[in-house]
Amino acid sequence: MKNLLRLHTSLKEEIEIALNAQVKMEAEASHKYQAMASWLEQNGYEHSANYLYRQADEERAHSLKIFRYINEMGGSAITPAVGEVTLDFTSFRSVFEAALQSEIAVTHAINRIVGKCRQVDDYATESFMMWFVNEQREEERNARRALELCDLIEETGTGKYTLDKEIAKISAEEE
Amino acid sequence: MHAQSYQTELYKNERGVTWQCDLTNTIVIDFEPFRIRLRLPDFNTFRRKVNGIDIRAMLFDLSDAADYQVLEAPKAQSAYRLTLCELIQLRDLLNGTRFALELSSLLHETLGEIVITD
Ligand SMILES: [Fe+2]
């Protein structure tokens, strides 16, 4: 009797399920960033809106990266259903607080997948996920830096304008 | 055990039976009124679909339409009307089959890739 499962995929079912859940989470993160960017745009923060629109694109790329990995490994990637995102922010700062919260949740999820990989000896997926571990370190740092700038620059008068421009520089700083 | 040695029974319940066919690397599902042969990815999709049907909602829905579930069997190009009871049996058959596949895979890994006979 052949090992039919192994012939088709090296992904254990629980890993495949966890990866598909992550595909969905990254897609949701993309939607959240888009909603945040929209609020910023509507409130005149053009530069930081652009920054978050780029973040939305990045999250979408993360989702796709995992999606294609699942298929590459012989699993079945599931196109996620992502619901409507309605985010209403009370201030510029609250946008970036939400961004940090979201990134922290993603980091936890990524770490849980790595833990699962070790449990079932799936070192290929662990190695694939390490890219995301490093990515999250950066994402969290950027989100914290944005909040730091909010503390440094007062959100009144021309401060708003400076803040908008400074935050847009964050992603340029990382390169 | 099936008569032909390249077919191994995976799981059986009152309603149906499944085999693994080593000649074609497929899973054969015999479940009245259909008999289908699926590749593993199609089997997985089918099982997901059947597991995704909300049986609780069917139970509490009093309309006549909720007494049956129309299910398209993949590759068979036909749809079947399954009663709630049949649906539960099909679900059991598919999940039992998946368990048998996993068990077989685990044995292969534990014992090394030696030939496992029945
Ligand atoms: Fe991400």
Side-chain angles (χ1 to χ4, degrees), chain A residues 17-69:
Chain A
I17 289 170
L19 289 175
N20 269 313
Q22 197 57 35
V23 166
K24 188 177 164 74
M25 192 178 201
E26 301 286 345
E28 280 166 351
S30 173
H31 270 55
K32 279 187 207 164
Y33 272 122
Q34 189 177 320
M36 291 171 196
S38 172
W39 187 90
L40 292 172
E41 195 170 40
Q42 284 167 25
N43 285 277
Y45 298 102
E46 194 184 308
H47 302 280
S48 36
N50 283 336
Y51 169 49
L52 290 196
Y53 276 126
R54 276 202 304 279
Q55 287 294 116
D57 282 345
E58 249 184 52
E59 296 305 336
R60 155 90 187 147
H62 293 168
S63 180
L64 206 60
K65 193 179 170 90
I66 302 170
F67 188 91
R68 298 193 64 174
Y69 174 81

Side-chain angles (χ1 to χ4, degrees), chain B residues 26 29 43 46:
Chain B
T26 52
I29 303 169
F43 170 81
F46 186 49

Side-chain angles (χ1 to χ4, degrees), chain A:
Chain A
M1 181 178 181
K2 285 184 186 169
N3 186 351
L4 205 57
L5 282 189
R6 191 65 178 81
L7 286 180
H8 279 92
T9 178
S10 51
L11 287 181
K12 296 264 189 330
E13 194 180 31
E14 55 188 305
I15 298 294
E16 190 178 323
I17 289 170
L19 289 175
N20 269 313
Q22 197 57 35
V23 166
K24 188 177 164 74
M25 192 178 201
E26 301 286 345
E28 280 166 351
S30 173
H31 270 55
K32 279 187 207 164
Y33 272 122
Q34 189 177 320
M36 291 171 196
S38 172
W39 187 90
L40 292 172
E41 195 170 40
Q42 284 167 25
N43 285 277
Y45 298 102
E46 194 184 308
H47 302 280
S48 36
N50 283 336
Y51 169 49
L52 290 196
Y53 276 126
R54 276 202 304 279
Q55 287 294 116
D57 282 345
E58 249 184 52
E59 296 305 336
R60 155 90 187 147
H62 293 168
S63 180
L64 206 60
K65 193 179 170 90
I66 302 170
F67 188 91
R68 298 193 64 174
Y69 174 81
I70 297 170
N71 282 342
E72 183 198 316
M73 300 300 277
S76 316
I78 301 168
T79 311
V82 180
E84 195 176 291
V85 180
T86 40
L87 293 174
D88 195 24
F89 300 100
T90 49
S91 64
F92 185 85
R93 190 196 164 88
S94 68
V95 171
F96 289 92
E97 272 169 2
L100 179 59
Q101 277 306 326
S102 170
E103 289 300 346
I104 291 172
V106 171
T107 304
H108 283 307
I110 301 271
N111 287 345
R112 275 197 298 273
I113 295 177
V114 173
K116 261 196 191 113
C117 289
R118 292 188 181 171
Q119 272 172 25
V120 299
D121 293 336
D122 184 348
Y123 304 112
T125 304
E126 181 186 330
S127 153
F128 168 75
M129 289 309 293
M130 287 323 276
W131 184 89
F132 287 89
V133 171
N134 292 322
E135 180 68 16
Q136 280 315 114
R137 203 188 60 217
E138 232 170 63
E139 300 279 26
E140 274 197 39
R141 193 200 61 201
N142 289 348
R144 286 207 184 83
R145 176 68 184 143
L147 286 177
E148 214 171 65
L149 286 169
C150 289
D151 289 339
L152 289 171
I153 306 164
E154 262 194 275
E155 221 180 293
T156 48
T158 53
K160 280 183 179 180
Y161 183 67
T162 316
L163 192 54
D164 180 36
K165 288 218 296 206
E166 287 303 315
I167 282 191
K169 284 182 197 160
I170 291 176
S171 58
E173 279 170 18
E174 58 186 73
E175 273 116 53

